[in-house]
Amino acid sequence: MMNYQSVPTVVCFNKEELSDDEYKESLRKKYEGCGCECIFISAKNNSGIEKVRDILNGKTTVLAGPSGVGKSTLTNLLIPGMEDEQEVSQTGEVSRIGRGRHTTRHSEIYNVCKDTYICDTPGFTSLNLPEVEKEDLRFYFEEFNPFEGKCRFNGCMHVSEPGCAVKQAVEDGVINYDRYKSYTDIFEEIKNKKKY
Ligand SMILES: Nc1nc2c(ncn2[C@@H]2O[C@H](COP(=O)(O)OP(=O)(O)OP(=O)(O)O)[C@@H](O)[C@H]2O)c(=O)[nH]1
Ligand SMILES: [Mg+2]
Ligand SMILES: [Zn+2]
């Protein structure tokens, strides 16, 4: 979605110390065709933070993601001189209803270093795509691009049409199945929303 709007995007998986190599590999495989770099970090163990600094350097970056993934924890780590002081950005456990005590409630921008800014934002619990038409959704999945125009039908939406090159690529293991499943799930969601 971000790439589609020409916003350079990095997918950052935090809390890597809680994951095994196998799971990390499956995530890497899932997102390798999506057109974004994927990195694995742990704000808790301070691993991968230098990589994050390299990526942020000289840019203004927005941290976006579900509630509780550690956006504010990472922000606090990146702000100079704050290691031993009171936290800049509030962090905390997320309660069962998904809105924890220290959950971030407003977006705030922080200076990391010269010309480098980071914006911590409130986490989301679901993704709302009001402006995306189901006919356009396929263009948001970069890994489908090489197969666009190769299906039997013009304007194939890669869902139930016969002779679909994207579905063939999924069967051949060229397109990640989970990503394709996300596509069809979101496609159905948009379709049903439009109906009512
Ligand atoms: N195990 C582990 N826990 C972490 C890590 N980073 C953050 N946490 C914990 O995850 C919880 C949520 O962290 P936050 O930084 O508040 O998460 P957030 O993404 O800012 O959440 P919202 O503000 O609700 O969007 C806190 O208890 C953190 O201590 C990590 O690398 N590993
Ligand atoms: Mg937060
Ligand atoms: Zn198709």
Side-chain angles (χ1 to χ4, degrees), residues 49 73 87 101 128 151-152 157 179:
I49 304 304
T73 309
E87 286 171 345
R101 222 162 19 108
N128 193 11
C151 305
R152 189 182 304 164
M157 283 186 260
R179 285 277 294 171

Side-chain angles (χ1 to χ4, degrees), residues 138 147-153 155-168 180:
R138 62 185 190 274
F147 305 96
E148 212 47 64
K150 294 194 173 148
C151 305
R152 189 182 304 164
F153 296 107
C156 179
M157 283 186 260
H158 321 314
V159 178
S160 49
E161 301 91 335
C164 172
V166 167
K167 276 200 285 186
Q168 187 59 50
Y180 178 70

Side-chain angles (χ1 to χ4, degrees), residues 5 18 26 44 52 61 63 65-66 81 92 114 116 124 140 157 175:
Q5 297 173 53
L18 300 177
S26 72
K44 186 181 177 186
V52 173
T61 303
L63 274 178
K114 190 175 183 303
T116 303
F124 44 76
Y140 289 70
M157 283 186 260
I175 291 175

